Amino acid sequence: MNAVEIEQAITDLAEQPFDPIEFPYAFLEAFGNKETTIKRLRAGASNKSDLGGVLQTNNIHILASEEGQVTQMLASLKASPATGKAKAKFILATDGKDFEAEDLISGQTVACAFKDFPDHFGFFLPLAGISTVRQISEDAFDIRATSRLNRLYVELLKDNPDWGTAERRHDMNKFMARLIFCFFAEDTDIFIGKGRFTDTIAQMTERDASNMHEVIATLFHSMNTPRDERTAVGIPRWATEFPYVNGALFSGSVEVPRFSRIARSYLLHVGNLDWTRINPDIFGSMIQAITEDEERGELGMHYTSVPNILKVLNPLFLDELRAKLDEAGNNPRMLLNLRKRMARIRVFDPACGSGNFLVIAYKEMRAIEAEINRRRSEMDNASDIPLTNFRGIEIRDFPAEIARLALVIAEYQCDVVYRGLKLALAEFLPLRNDNWITCGNALRIDWLSVCPPSGIGVKLQADNLLETLLGQAEIDFQNEGGETYICGNPPYKGSQTQTKEQKADLASVFEPYGISSKQIDYVGGWFMKAAAYAQATPTDSAFVSTNSICQGRIVPILWPAIFKCGSHIRFAHSSFKWTNLAAHNAGVTVAIVGLSTDVSKTRLLYDLDRNGQTTVREATNITPYLSVGEDVVVEGQRKSISGLPDMSFGNMPVDGGNLLLSADDAVSLGLSKQDEETFLRRIYGSAEFIRGVVRKCLWIPDVKLPQALDIASIRGRIDGVRDMRLKSKDAGTNELASRAHQFREMYHGGKHTLILPGVSSEGREYLPVGLIDNHSVVSNLAFALYDAPLWNLALIASRLHLVWIATICGKLETRYRYSNTLGWNTFPVPTLTEKNKADLTRCAEDILLAREHHFPATIADLYDPANMPTDLRAAHDRNDEVLERIYIGRRFKNDTERLEKLFDLYIKMAASAAPSKGKKRKVGTNA
């Protein structure tokens, strides 16, 4: 369950008559516990309570108490030996009137009336496996509002199915945006009298909701009509007291969907929430999910934490503004200059969604401006920072509408905080007609037309706050252009998951530079367009991206083009988890990369230490792999730059399933022991090696073919291979039909083979390399080093090599993706002495012996980080120590240091291996 679903479930629970016996189970069910789990608790099989309550191990101890005994019962729960033994994280006591709970880890408590406990649902979200942030736990209004609005939205579509069609979806979205504004306005004194909008609807509509659409349409019409014109157009007296809103928020059609009795009830429930608590930082991204069919199943999962957004905005420009504020002190002139500078800053998010980044940037800048005004004793001053300096592009219309609405709300809230309610109200209405968020495809739009580098003219504007079509009348900036900062969190979309339209979008960006975009992630288009924009004017930009943008085959395609445009990496956050409110969500691994054309600015690299704390280093240069050092782009090589043995793909069967055999298939051939020894071999790909899956293959040398054909079961499979290859449309496959008894390749080790899966889990701390005998073969789903010295296994099994592969080869989804030409052949290894090789050979032997000690445990079992055997971990630690001392005479401090040393060594080795006379050496591609 997600956060919105949980909120709705516990709200329903609080509204039901209290049943002391059923409550604990219903409470746990509301937080996503499965029916089988509840049954086990009911039966007592897993209920560990010693007080007659319900105790779920590692979770919560719940007790329904006698009336008036809640506080005492909570103390009993805390003192209970069973609570401690079961490692309960929460305790909860209630009598149906009062409700008390405590988080035993943090010590935080909740005490409220039973009917109000849903207000604190964020407190309990860890029960559902949702790692909350403090902001959500303390103020869960946005999720509650989203839940209510979602129920209203779904109910309205039931009664008005035509409003859910593509033709009318915009009308429905417009209607929802108008409601959100009215709910906010009636609780913040924008509409005179708290709850005025909701109360009017309750009073003027029939209980069966038959005239609901007419009443709401009348109110919308009134808000779009100046007061002195209302009588003339026939607006009734009960609707005339609402203010003139303008801003084109209520312009155009005022048609309203029809309401059922249930929908009317839902609207009144939404209106009765306290909308003064709306948080525009996060509300927009959650509310947009209501109107997106593909996202409604993930309601409540769209929260992007403010700290994560500030990881982009702070180093991009906010830190520097705060530093200038500190430098100014109380100097009136310096403070005034800073305020004037801020009034000209343009913040541009070309993938703005519902405006999170723009809202946070605006609020942070208003806080700095407020401090300037305080120091200058000008607290009543109207803000010099115009909303229209916060530009965005969003491809979907409703998020674009919500982005503008969120900024309008943020402006009002800032005015209330910094200037007082009276001045905020006096200047809020009527809204301006400005439309500063463009609805369109950011990769197809000229960004300079939306956010020009200088002047006040802009080519694009819509004349309706809720109509965002391109090519409409112009809108101007209020102030002459100053600095421009580009930011955001664009869609990621790897090359394999892009639609045809998205592939075409990328091509339109990269083809002018002579670059094929086939392997570039969708987010790469935003980086390229930011670099192109910066050619017109000095600009800093920063985007959140999957870390794949700085790994693997994308790097040599994308980054040289960005550098050629004159941009460099000014700051970066190396990989970290960008989490949301999804239950059991591990988050997407992302990086933040900031670009600049200003070479004078300090370059900063942010990283996480072993304790998960952020560290920052100044750097002379940040590479596209997000390391400190010279700019380097690693491309595939046909031969190892370190002189290491050749690594190749294993053998591809191209057999239509005839040469590959399961264990049962092998038995069904009915071979004698001697024939099994002659014609069958065990074959290993990634799954077979990692998970211990047994698979065999027919392995028939030419000299043994006549003997094989005498065996009917083998002959039939050979015929099957021939038929499959002859029917193929590939000419190469057709040619292979002449030797239908064999794989495409027939490689194997004379003594042994080192095997390395092509793809392996990112959860392992080491790559799963292994040793197989000379009677086993490797499939094309793994790499092989035939008869390579055993010390090569020590290299591959090292932390150093894993760090290199993760960076240079990149990942397939989230798994490590190995490449022989890009990973192995580029891996820089110092010249090894015979002693070094002997030491590494011993390390490899120790790793293999430790694995053998735990037979029949598989590689998957042994390298589970939570269950890795102590002796195996010790063998790997010893291997890392021996190898790292060869590199630098000591252990590396962290992966960042490892990577920087590897790049330094790679640059030197690549330079020495480069052809003379300045010719660029031709590099290989994956074999």
Side-chain angles (χ1 to χ4, degrees):
M1 297 178 72
N2 60 53
V4 171
E5 292 169 330
I6 291 168
E7 191 280 332
Q8 187 57 60
I10 64 169
T11 297
D12 292 343
L13 177 60
E15 293 173 353
Q16 296 170 8
F18 178 69
D19 184 330
I21 297 175
E22 288 298 317
F23 174 79
Y25 304 112
F27 184 86
L28 290 171
E29 190 175 2
F31 281 91
N33 281 267
K34 296 179 180 178
E35 185 178 348
T36 53
T37 302
I38 301 298
K39 283 183 178 180
R40 285 175 53 82
L41 285 169
R42 285 184 186 278
S46 58
N47 184 359
K48 307 299 182 182
S49 178
D50 55 356
L51 295 174
V54 175
L55 172 54
Q56 188 177 41
T57 301
N58 295 320
N59 216 15
I60 189 170
H61 199 171
I62 306 174
L63 187 62
S65 74
E66 296 291 333
E67 188 171 335
Q69 299 295 310
V70 172
T71 301
Q72 295 92 317
M73 289 300 100
L74 191 72
S76 298
L77 287 169
K78 190 170 185 177
S80 162
T83 299
K85 187 176 181 180
K87 298 181 179 179
K89 300 181 181 71
F90 292 88
I91 53 175
L92 187 166
T94 183
D95 59 2
K97 293 185 177 180
D98 295 319
F99 181 100
E100 294 187 20
E102 182 174 346
D103 181 336
L104 296 176
I105 296 175
S106 68
Q108 291 180 308
T109 60
V110 166
C112 63
F114 179 83
K115 64 180 179 61
D116 294 329
F117 85 81
D119 291 339
H120 304 278
F121 84 98
F123 180 83
F124 295 104
L125 282 178
L127 294 176
I130 297 176
S131 299
T132 64
V133 291
R134 185 176 179 183
Q135 188 173 358
I136 285 293
S137 296
E138 292 182 351
D139 186 359
F141 171 81
D142 300 278
I143 292 177
R144 299 204 74 190
T146 303
S147 175
R148 299 296 188 280
L149 286 168
N150 180 59
R151 294 180 74 178
L152 172 61
Y153 189 89
V154 171
E155 190 65 28
L156 286 173
L157 288 184
K158 286 181 184 178
D159 301 327
N160 306 268
D162 59 313
W163 283 65
T165 62
E167 294 76 17
R168 300 223 60 185
R169 178 59 58 88
H170 181 71
D171 293 334
M172 187 65 178
N173 295 345
K174 180 189 291 187
F175 172 68
M176 295 299 293
R178 288 169 170 173
L179 284 183
I180 292 168
F181 176 83
C182 290
F183 292 141
F184 173 73
E186 70 174 345
D187 283 354
T188 51
D189 291 325
I190 294 170
F191 294 167
I192 304 302
K194 185 174 177 61
R196 184 69 173 274
F197 177 73
T198 303
D199 289 345
T200 300
I201 290 174
Q203 293 167 6
M204 301 304 299
T205 59
E206 302 294 338
R207 289 185 176 274
D208 64 1
S210 56
N211 67 335
M212 187 89 162
H213 60 292
E214 297 170 348
V215 170
I216 296 176
T218 300
L219 290 173
F220 288 172
H221 188 199
S222 178
M223 293 178 216
N224 191 52
T225 306
R227 287 183 180 276
D228 57 1
E229 299 176 12
R230 291 179 180 179
T231 302
V233 297
I235 293 175
R237 184 181 298 276
W238 56 265
T240 58
E241 294 305 311
F242 285 85
Y244 172 51
V245 175
N246 195 22
L249 182 60
F250 295 98
S251 67
S253 171
V254 293
E255 185 180 1
V256 172
R258 290 184 175 271
F259 279 68
S260 64
R261 183 190 298 270
I262 294 175
R264 177 179 183 272
S265 175
Y266 286 165
L267 184 144
L268 297 179
H269 275 296
V270 177
N272 286 326
L273 294 173
D274 182 6
W275 283 77
T276 60
R277 297 164 60 189
I278 188 174
N279 181 359
D281 304 352
I282 68 173
F283 182 75
S285 60
M286 296 178 66
I287 195 64
Q288 82 177 66
I290 290 174
T291 63
E292 301 290 340
D293 289 337
E294 68 275 13
E295 295 183 24
R296 194 174 299 122
E298 300 180 348
L299 280 173
M301 293 169 59
H302 294 260
Y303 175 72
T304 301
S305 71
V306 174
N308 274 350
I309 292 175
L310 289 176
K311 286 179 180 177
V312 176
L313 298 178
N314 280 341
L316 181 61
F317 73 101
L318 291 176
D319 282 345
E320 199 258 340
L321 292 180
R322 297 186 189 105
K324 289 297 182 183
L325 178 64
D326 291 341
E327 182 183 328
N330 291 312
N331 184 302
R333 174 57 56 185
M334 293 177 68
L335 290 169
L336 179 60
N337 288 340
L338 178 58
R339 190 170 71 191
K340 289 181 177 179
R341 173 190 168 187
M342 290 173 59
R344 296 192 302 271
I345 288 176
R346 301 175 180 184
V347 182
F348 175 39
D349 182 349
C352 71
S354 50
N356 302 44
F357 281 77
L358 297 176
V359 168
I360 297 297
Y362 177 78
K363 290 174 69 174
E364 293 294 320
M365 290 178 66
R366 283 294 303 269
I368 295 171
E369 182 189 49
E371 178 59 20
I372 291 172
N373 290 341
R374 187 191 67 80
R375 295 182 189 182
R376 286 177 53 87
S377 300
E378 297 172 341
M379 294 299 292
D380 290 341
N381 273 22
S383 175
D384 290 334
I385 301 173
L387 287 185
T388 51
N389 276 14
F390 295 79
R391 298 287 163 125
I393 300 175
E394 169 54 36
I395 197 166
R396 295 168 298 180
D397 63 345
F398 188 62
E401 294 160 6
I402 292 298
R404 283 191 296 278
L405 193 53
L407 280 164
V408 167
I409 291 172
E411 180 185 45
Y412 176 77
Q413 290 177 332
C414 287
D415 281 345
V416 171
V417 171
Y418 301 127
R419 304 180 60 223
L421 179 61
K422 185 176 180 180
L423 287 175
L425 285 172
E427 298 176 7
F428 185 66
L429 293 179
L431 298 177
R432 297 183 299 274
N433 285 333
D434 300 334
N435 173 29
W436 59 97
I437 305 295
T438 298
C439 184
N441 186 334
L443 295 188
R444 298 284 188 170
I445 293 175
D446 178 4
W447 291 4
L448 291 169
S449 71
V450 176
C451 190
S454 62
I456 60 173
V458 182
K459 297 177 183 176
L460 297 174
Q461 188 214 359
D463 58 7
N464 182 327
L465 184 66
L466 297 181
E467 297 290 346
T468 52
L469 301 177
L470 296 177
Q472 297 182 7
E474 291 189 359
I475 180 175
D476 289 339
F477 283 101
Q478 292 185 24
N479 303 321
E480 175 70 26
E483 306 142 62
T484 299
Y485 296 101
I486 303 174
C487 60
N489 185 4
Y492 304 140
K493 287 284 186 181
S495 58
Q496 301 301 313
T497 60
Q498 293 164 15
T499 64
K500 289 183 180 180
E501 292 77 13
Q502 289 168 336
K503 290 180 183 296
D505 291 340
L506 275 185
S508 71
V509 173
F510 286 98
E511 282 179 357
Y513 299 92
I515 297 172
S516 171
S517 58
K518 290 182 179 179
Q519 295 189 62
I520 299 178
D521 288 355
Y522 199 49
V523 68
W526 274 261
F527 281 95
M528 194 68 239
K529 291 206 68 165
Y533 181 99
Q535 287 184 294
T537 181
T539 304
D540 283 15
S541 59
F543 295 116
V544 182
S545 166
T546 48
N547 56 5
S548 60
I549 205 78
C550 295
Q551 298 174 349
R553 293 171 175 81
I554 295 177
V555 172
I557 302 172
L558 174 66
W559 288 98
I562 289 176
F563 295 154
K564 191 174 181 180
C565 286
S567 291
H568 63 269
I569 298 176
R570 185 172 71 80
F571 72 89
H573 278 267
S574 60
S575 300
F576 67 97
K577 297 292 187 182
W578 187 273
T579 56
N580 57 34
L581 283 180
H584 308 290
N585 172 63
V588 178
T589 300
V590 302
I592 295 171
V593 183
L595 304 178
S596 180
T597 54
D598 187 347
V599 296
S600 68
K601 291 185 177 180
T602 302
R603 304 183 193 193
L604 302 172
L605 182 60
Y606 297 82
D607 205 349
L608 297 177
D609 62 19
R610 292 180 178 178
N611 299 317
Q613 300 300 310
T614 300
T615 62
V616 60
R617 288 189 297 159
E618 290 190 13
T620 54
N621 189 65
I622 299 173
T623 77
Y625 298 99
L626 305 190
S627 64
V628 174
E630 297 178 43
D631 280 331
V632 58
V633 171
V634 180
E635 299 190 63
Q637 306 286 324
R638 292 193 182 279
K639 292 289 183 179
S640 166
I641 64 170
S642 302
L644 300 173
D646 288 343
M647 177 187 288
S648 64
F649 276 119
N651 304 282
M652 179 174 284
V654 195
D655 68 331
N658 290 287
L659 298 179
L660 291 176
L661 310 167
S662 67
D664 290 340
D665 290 336
V667 173
S668 69
L669 290 176
L671 303 182
S672 66
K673 289 289 184 183
Q674 183 176 349
D675 287 339
E676 284 184 4
E677 182 68 21
T678 303
F679 298 117
L680 293 184
R681 294 198 177 193
R682 186 162 179 182
I683 186 167
Y684 291 89
S686 294
E688 291 80 10
F689 177 67
I690 293 173
R691 301 202 302 270
V693 177
V694 176
R695 184 164 289 141
K696 297 189 177 183
C697 68
L698 286 170
W699 193 261
I700 307 172
D702 290 336
V703 296
K704 298 289 185 180
L705 179 58
Q707 183 181 344
L709 292 175
D710 286 340
I711 302 171
S713 58
I714 294 180
R715 185 173 63 251
R717 286 183 171 268
I718 292 173
D719 290 342
V721 174
R722 183 180 298 106
D723 290 343
M724 172 264 165
R725 291 178 178 176
L726 288 173
K727 290 177 181 177
S728 173
K729 296 181 180 180
D730 179 71
T733 302
N734 298 153
E735 292 179 9
L736 288 175
S738 62
R739 54 183 187 92
H741 59 293
Q742 294 182 334
F743 283 49
R744 188 181 71 180
E745 301 86 15
M746 291 291 285
Y747 302 138
H748 64 94
K751 298 178 181 178
H752 63 248
T753 301
L754 299 184
I755 179 174
L756 177 61
V759 177
S760 59
S761 170
E762 78 285 359
R764 301 189 186 102
E765 298 174 31
Y766 302 95
L767 291 172
V769 61
L771 179 72
I772 60 176
D773 61 33
N774 64 354
H775 198 69
S776 299
V777 296
V778 179
S779 81
N780 61 300
L781 298 179
F783 292 94
L785 289 93
Y786 298 108
D787 297 318
L790 197 54
W791 53 263
N792 287 273
L793 186 147
L795 295 179
I796 299 171
S798 69
R799 181 71 187 175
L800 269 168
H801 194 57
L802 177 68
V803 170
W804 184 255
I805 293 303
T807 302
I808 301 305
C809 295
K811 294 183 178 181
L812 179 64
E813 296 171 341
T814 59
R815 297 166 292 164
Y816 294 122
R817 174 175 55 190
Y818 202 89
S819 165
N820 54 348
T821 57
L822 191 56
W824 178 248
N825 290 346
T826 64
F827 184 52
V829 181
T831 301
L832 300 176
T833 66
E834 291 306 312
K835 170 102 173 32
N836 294 151
K837 293 176 182 178
D839 290 342
L840 291 172
T841 299
R842 179 59 184 273
C843 290
E845 292 171 343
D846 289 345
I847 290 172
L848 294 173
L849 287 170
R851 292 179 188 172
E852 188 67 25
H853 179 70
H854 297 279
F855 180 85
T858 65
I859 291 293
D861 298 330
L862 295 171
Y863 286 85
D864 179 346
N867 300 302
M868 190 173 181
T870 303
D871 58 344
L872 180 58
R873 186 178 293 280
H876 274 284
D877 285 343
R878 173 63 179 161
N879 182 59
D880 284 338
E881 181 171 356
V882 169
L883 183 59
E884 291 178 11
R885 287 187 181 279
I886 292 172
Y887 275 80
I888 60 171
R890 60 170 175 81
R891 293 297 299 271
F892 287 100
K893 296 176 182 177
N894 50 40
D895 287 345
T896 300
E897 190 181 31
R898 289 184 179 94
L899 197 57
E900 288 171 7
K901 177 61 180 178
L902 288 170
F903 275 125
D904 181 58
L905 188 57
Y906 172 82
I907 291 171
K908 294 174 182 176
M909 297 179 75
S912 64
S916 58
K917 298 181 181 180
K919 293 182 179 179
K920 184 177 181 181
R921 184 171 63 169
K922 186 178 180 181
V923 298
T925 57
N926 233 348

